[in-house]
Amino acid sequence: MTYQEKLSEIRKQMKADNVAAYIIPSADPHISEYLPNHYKCIPFTSGFSGSAGTLVITHDFAGLWTDFRYFEQAAEQLENSGFELVKQKVQHAPEYIQWLVEKLDKGATVASNEKLLSLLLGDLISQQFSTKGINLTSKDYLSPIWENRPQLPAEKAFLIADEHIGQPVSGKLTAVRAMLQKQGADYHLVSSLDDMAWLFNIRGKDVSYNPVVLSFALISQDEAKLFVNPDKLSNEDKELLLKSGVTVFAYEEIETALQQIPENKSILIDPKRNCFAYAKLIPASVRIIKETNPSTVLKAVKNETELANTRTAMLKDGVAITRFLKWLSENIGKTTITELSAAAVLRSFRAEQDGFVGDSFNTISAYGPHGALPHYGASEESNSEVKSEGLFLVDSGGQYFYGTTDITRTIPMGNNTEEESTDYTLVLKGMIDGCKVRFPKGTCGYQIDAITRKPLWDYAINYGHGTGHGVGYFLNVHEGPQTFNPTATPVAVELGMITSVEPGVYRPGKHGIRIENLVNTVKDVSNEFNEFYAFECLTIAPISTKIVKKDLLEASQVKWLNDYNALVFEKLSPFLNEVERAFLETETKAI
């Protein structure tokens, strides 16, 4: 069935139900960023494979709303699909809602599978539709036309031993219950898969890149119910969970459990991380408290075991990056290297490291103009040859049994222009300032974001993505609640939080530059003015200085760069052979 035929079949169902528009978000009932194949509804319907977007279908129009990161990709993938690209003005903003309000008649009905709408989004759609009397109803128009739809994943899951994760399940449940008590909540629904993995020290293979398990939890002061396919867990793991006060139920039983919450109780639900459909199953007399999951905050602050293990993962990752850079320098111009083949070689070097599980996201291997697309994904059709000139941007990461990594290096390949050298140096200035900043306790991410951007702002340059995101512990590479971006999110940067620092410059049709390290928040100094924090650089991998314009750097930035590269050589040398050490010594030479 072609995409246009699928579109026609959806419209037939809409007509039969007197539905004026159908909304297809990129989500699952857990409101995940990365989806199991069963829930990849947008690629199935339209061919668009980007990780952010929403399809809206009416009887005379079908469009994909997505942001600037995917404009080029969407235009290419939507060709002859029957869908048009609608360019969002603001990243992540549901601009299609207002479009529908303006387009549809009063009293019209709009449908969506409400298991794929977050509670926050469902409330927002309902609120804005109500201004024109538009109704929202739940319909699944894809299952009837989705032949051989992939089943939900059935891979085995496993528990991580307490000593490798630093805190037992019982301790985590106690901490969550204490926060629930402060919020006045009798129950707590958890749907987000990384929160589930953290809470129950469980990992799996249900979603690409994120080692999570499809599951839900319903927690009260005296019970913790885990809803998961029982076949995923061994009898031994079930016994261990039971000893921690956790009872295992079938995945589908979450719906019945929500309907059976006693009258006049209260339940805490994170509106961003639970689906609209399940919130509607809760009895009307139960008070819903809409707040961030307690586990989201607890999970973001890494304990000493998690930090120590993450440092080990960073050393392994640094060895792999160093070997990749050496391989690239020795083979460029001598054999054909493409974006895809380079990414495969990098993965092979990571796979040699003890404890490697897989990539933490789809590697962005972007040569030349492709680097100007911040979320570029090389395909067989777009796969460029990497040549001995220009810039090669590689943003990659690994999942290890003892940590998650995420690193970007932009590699000067030769014959670089003045503009490339200037841009590279300005991005480096921003990254250095973000990494070496000292800040008072209580500082929020948007303040770190501004400090990192200032060296670029001084040259009237900016970038359209955030400066940094939280990173999990052998978990999702994108984690909250902290974020370094211009939005005034009132979340303080706490001790033990792992966050990325990744400014960039993107010149369409020319090049893209991004340099990224992961940092851990640590204590710095305390005085009569405040307690001050700083960042420990966790990422240990060389930063190229080949095209750095030293005259654009301040003395403190030169010192930071030289000290950092010297630390990289010191930390990685013991794991390298003589030839590799010689290469790294050259790469990390002081400027």
Side-chain angles (χ1 to χ4, degrees), residues 283-540:
S285 68
V286 175
R287 181 169 63 96
I288 295 179
I289 302 168
K290 298 176 183 177
E291 293 289 347
T292 300
N293 286 333
S295 51
T296 298
V297 179
L298 296 168
K299 170 167 51 67
V301 177
K302 309 301 184 281
N303 61 47
E304 287 305 317
T305 299
E306 292 171 324
L307 288 170
N309 288 348
T310 296
R311 293 184 188 104
T312 299
M314 294 295 174
L315 291 176
K316 303 287 187 184
D317 216 56
V319 169
I321 293 291
T322 300
R323 288 174 176 161
F324 169 72
L325 294 173
K326 178 176 177 291
W327 168 84
L328 187 64
S329 69
E330 292 173 347
N331 288 279
I332 194 70
K334 298 177 183 177
T335 185
T336 300
I337 298 174
T338 68
E339 293 167 333
L340 287 177
S341 69
V345 169
L346 174 53
R347 192 184 195 282
S348 72
F349 284 125
R350 278 200 173 99
E352 294 174 356
Q353 304 302 312
D354 291 338
F356 178 73
V357 176
D359 295 335
S360 58
F361 57 95
N362 186 34
T363 296
I364 299 172
S365 177
Y367 176 68
H370 284 162
L373 306 171
H375 284 244
Y376 171 74
S379 64
E380 292 295 341
E381 294 74 29
S382 68
N383 190 21
S384 290
E385 181 180 352
V386 181
K387 300 179 180 178
S388 53
E389 61 182 12
L391 297 171
F392 181 29
L393 186 155
V394 182
D395 186 349
S396 67
Q399 292 287 7
Y400 297 83
F401 280 116
Y402 36 77
T404 300
T405 69
D406 180 4
I407 175 175
T408 308
R409 291 294 184 261
T410 301
I411 308 160
M413 302 305 297
N415 297 320
N416 295 101
T417 66
E418 280 292 305
E419 183 178 62
E420 289 171 342
S421 298
T422 299
D423 286 350
Y424 183 92
T425 307
L426 294 179
V427 171
L428 181 58
K429 281 170 67 74
M431 202 279 288
I432 291 172
D433 283 358
C435 287
K436 73 180 185 67
V437 63
R438 169 186 284 163
F439 54 94
K441 179 180 179 179
T443 295
C444 295
Y446 59 90
Q447 295 165 294
I448 305 295
D449 178 87
I451 291 168
T452 306
R453 289 177 192 267
K454 187 180 182 302
L456 294 160
W457 286 350
D458 287 343
Y459 285 75
I461 296 172
N462 200 13
Y463 49 93
H465 56 75
T467 292
H469 55 84
V471 177
Y473 172 73
F474 184 26
L475 256 181
N476 295 11
V477 76
H478 293 147
E479 181 178 276
Q482 84 277 25
T483 182
F484 297 173
N485 67 32
T487 306
T489 304
V491 175
V493 184
E494 303 285 356
L495 296 173
M497 285 182 168
I498 297 177
T499 317
S500 67
V501 178
E502 47 181 313
V505 167
Y506 308 96
R507 295 191 184 272
K510 293 183 177 181
H511 61 259
I513 299 163
R514 187 164 63 253
I515 305 172
E516 173 188 19
N517 274 2
L518 300 188
V519 297
N520 167 41
T521 311
V522 296
K523 288 183 179 180
D524 190 22
V525 298
S526 184
N527 55 32
E528 67 270 30
F529 299 105
N530 204 332
E531 187 175 345
F532 282 81
Y533 295 164
F535 289 138
E536 166 200 7
C537 271
L538 294 172
T539 303
I540 304 294

Side-chain angles (χ1 to χ4, degrees), residues 6 26 144 153 179 201 308 353 396 577:
K6 293 172 186 176
S26 177
M179 295 179 73
N201 291 349
Q353 304 302 312
S396 67
N577 62 36

